[in-house]
Amino acid sequence: MQDILPAIVFSSDLFLLITYLGISVYLVYLFRNWDEPTIGGWAFGSSLCSISIGLHMLSIRLLNIGNPNFDTIYRLSVFVFYLAAYFFGLAHPIARRDKFDLMLTGFISIPLGFLLPSILQDLELQVLGGLIFEQFSSTFTTFDLLNFAFFGFLFIIFARDSQLIYNASLRNAGNSYRKSIAMGHLFAWQFFAVGSGFLRYIAKFLETPVYFGLPFILLLVPLLTLGSRPFDWAREGHEPVLLLLIDQYGTPTYSWTKSATTPLFMQGSTMASVTSMLEDLMEDKVKSMEVSYERFTLYTQQHMNYLSLLITTGSHQSFPRLLEKIHMILVTDSIKQESDGLVGYKFPSELEWLLNQLIPDHEFTSESGTIKSLLEKSGVNFFG
């Protein structure tokens, strides 16, 4: 059994390394598309996980060839793991910039600041069967208390995010599915936070070594199931209800609502007249604009002879940046279709992914309609 165990550990490490590398590459791709802070935090945390697992594999290799630096490399791998867990926690509150969330960020940084040097200096290791483990005893140390505080604040951060999702489900009666998302978020992320935190104390009670990769296996639960939507404004209960791109001739090139993905036509209009109408209505320049109503917010973006309109269920600081990204995707896709001589209607895959993430029970369909019917289907009524 002792001969098989190192091979099992190596295989597990290799699987985790490849998995986290794949996750980090995918999340970096999403972050470059949507510039969402939470996705960026997850991407950086996943990259740190890959580095930590790689260092663990290197420490085992150095042990097997008799290199005395194996213990230093192992401590570094644990050091990087705590950094990864920190950035996964940081990814949630930093996007909101709320005072309470910023306080949580400060509180979790304090035990981490004491933990990191303690890992490099005080962590006691033992070698069993060609593998490296942390030396556990029933005596509680300062490191154990700091570890408890760190994962305790991580628990609060994830619970706070679950609360926001649940509150969003109460505000928006049509979004009851968010209650299940909130519970999924709570169980998935707490599976990692609580599991990783108590793993150490279970091992101390039993005075038994624990495989280094177990916390990474626990972390795969929220990452692979995406226990929360990766967009902070979606978790707070805001979402798009209408998206429209109008070309210079007044023809809606793309349009989307929660109930349909629809090519529409505006007879006898030009983009200039539409722009003028909006500017008169809002008393503002339409190049980049945000107007809030009682239940909806209208955003516009104009560039390259195209006008984008985004109507959402509320105002959020991320929406103007999001619309800028969406506008360029739509315009680029429209120009590509025109240059290829294609006739027809096609919804960009990047936006299809985005909208499916926000509204998981929505199915994309195509049908014809008018601007008024499109607004009515979205539940938007600006015209009385």
Side-chain angles (χ1 to χ4, degrees), residues 152-164:
F153 283 119
L154 203 63
F155 171 89
I156 295 173
I157 287 173
F158 293 145
R160 155 81 167 162
D161 224 47
S162 302
Q163 178 199 14
L164 287 172

Side-chain angles (χ1 to χ4, degrees), residues 9 24 76 136 230:
V9 169
S24 59
L76 278 175
F136 285 111

